[in-house]
Amino acid sequence: MSALVDRLVAHVLSLEVRLLACQARLTARTDPEALHDLRTTVRRLRSLLRPLRGLPGVEQLEDAASAVGQLTTPWRDREVLAAYLLAHDQPEAAQRRMAQMAEAYPALAASAEVASLLMILDAFPRFLRASQRQGLLKGLDKRIEKRLSKQWQKLDEALHDPAHDRHRLRLLIKRVRYGIEAYPELERLPEAALARLKSAQGALGDWHDCWQWLAKAELEADLQPCVATWQATMIKAESKADRVLEKLSSACFK
């Protein structure tokens, strides 16, 4: 058990370092991947925390991570759209959004949400050690395995639901995938699981982008030239996502 707690603390510290680096990159506007990396790090943190719910400090840290996720989601969506527009001969529409992003990066880095997350995250290893001394972490490995297994069961049920919602499936797949990566030593999943999950997440992500952009095009006139392409691409993405999900289901579930 001590080894598991040591790994947890080390993982938390590594995520804190990554978040600090992302914050610095956003402040300095050094590269276009800083916001994406910050969001990925926050998702990995939330995946690490999910099986620990009920322990001291977890709820506060989850809430802080969720707040950063909510703050940054619309900006990341805009960033992805701008990159698409730039790559598909819509430079003016892309530049308008990129100019907004350039102003947003330092503001996001200096936001109260990011500051709060970093403050709570910095204290969290001490909460873990205190919980360990108080005997609150006994059976932690079994608790984590049980909760990871429950996530896998939810995904199984969703995949076998004929009326499954692609957006919900995308979120479930993300949750399961990041859970595997957070606790690889505790997972007991089929060997092909991680690769299949990653492929399914990518296919559903392509579909979700088109779906979201079409909704935006109803409100943002400069996106109208892309609508026909997005409609056709979304149909193809739906078909590809269904094929990938079928492979995931057949390879990893009965």
Side-chain angles (χ1 to χ4, degrees):
M1 182 57 61
S2 177
L4 176 58
V5 178
D6 289 346
R7 286 195 296 273
L8 268 175
V9 170
H11 199 160
V12 169
L13 292 173
S14 71
L15 291 172
E16 181 182 8
V17 170
R18 289 188 64 181
L19 281 174
L20 286 166
C22 291
Q23 183 188 40
R25 289 160 60 197
L26 284 170
T27 300
R29 290 178 277 196
T30 59
D31 63 274
E33 294 299 316
L35 180 58
H36 171 66
D37 290 348
L38 181 140
R39 286 175 52 78
T40 299
T41 303
V42 169
R43 281 199 298 270
R44 294 186 188 284
L45 173 62
R46 295 178 73 179
S47 296
L48 189 75
L49 294 173
R50 193 167 285 110
L52 305 179
R53 286 174 179 169
L55 293 176
V58 171
E59 182 179 356
Q60 295 91 327
L61 188 50
E62 275 199 301
D63 288 346
S66 177
V68 171
Q70 291 174 14
L71 173 69
T72 56
T73 291
W75 291 106
R76 175 56 183 166
D77 290 344
R78 187 170 303 184
E79 188 177 58
V80 172
L81 176 56
Y84 174 92
L85 293 169
L86 191 63
H88 290 80
D89 300 320
Q90 298 294 325
E92 292 182 3
Q95 289 298 334
R96 278 192 288 272
R97 289 162 178 81
M98 290 167 69
Q100 294 170 338
M101 294 305 306
E103 295 179 2
Y105 290 141
L108 290 171
S111 67
E113 289 87 348
V114 170
S116 177
L117 174 59
L118 286 168
M119 180 183 67
I120 298 171
L121 182 59
D122 187 60
F124 188 63
R126 295 193 290 276
F127 279 91
L128 283 174
R129 292 303 187 190
S131 296
Q132 184 181 23
R133 289 192 297 271
Q134 295 166 17
L136 299 178
L137 302 186
K138 291 180 180 178
L140 182 61
D141 53 345
K142 299 298 182 185
R143 177 205 295 231
I144 294 171
E145 286 179 343
K146 182 177 180 180
R147 296 195 177 182
L148 293 177
S149 177
K150 188 174 181 180
Q151 289 180 181
W152 189 248
Q153 290 169 6
K154 284 184 178 180
L155 178 57
D156 185 7
E157 292 169 2
L159 283 169
H160 287 90
D161 181 358
H164 66 248
D165 177 84
R166 288 187 181 88
H167 179 61
R168 178 171 178 267
L169 267 176
R170 187 175 70 93
L171 297 179
L172 282 172
I173 287 168
K174 278 186 176 183
R175 185 172 296 178
V176 169
R177 179 189 165 195
Y178 289 131
I180 293 173
E181 293 176 349
Y183 297 100
E185 72 277 17
L186 298 179
E187 277 294 352
R188 303 291 184 269
L189 298 181
E191 187 175 345
L194 193 56
R196 294 293 187 191
L197 288 167
K198 187 174 182 179
S199 178
Q201 183 179 331
L204 287 167
D206 292 341
W207 165 82
H208 183 260
D209 284 345
C210 290
W211 175 83
Q212 188 168 246
W213 294 342
L214 285 168
K216 282 183 176 293
E218 295 179 3
L219 303 173
E220 301 175 22
D222 62 349
L223 298 180
Q224 285 299 314
C226 300
V227 166
T229 298
W230 289 342
Q231 288 172 336
T233 302
M234 189 168 78
I235 292 172
K236 293 178 182 177
E238 285 178 352
S239 178
K240 180 180 178 181
D242 287 344
R243 292 195 302 272
V244 171
L245 290 172
E246 179 60 34
K247 289 181 180 179
L248 171 64
S249 180
S250 61
C252 301
F253 299 98
K254 294 182 179 180

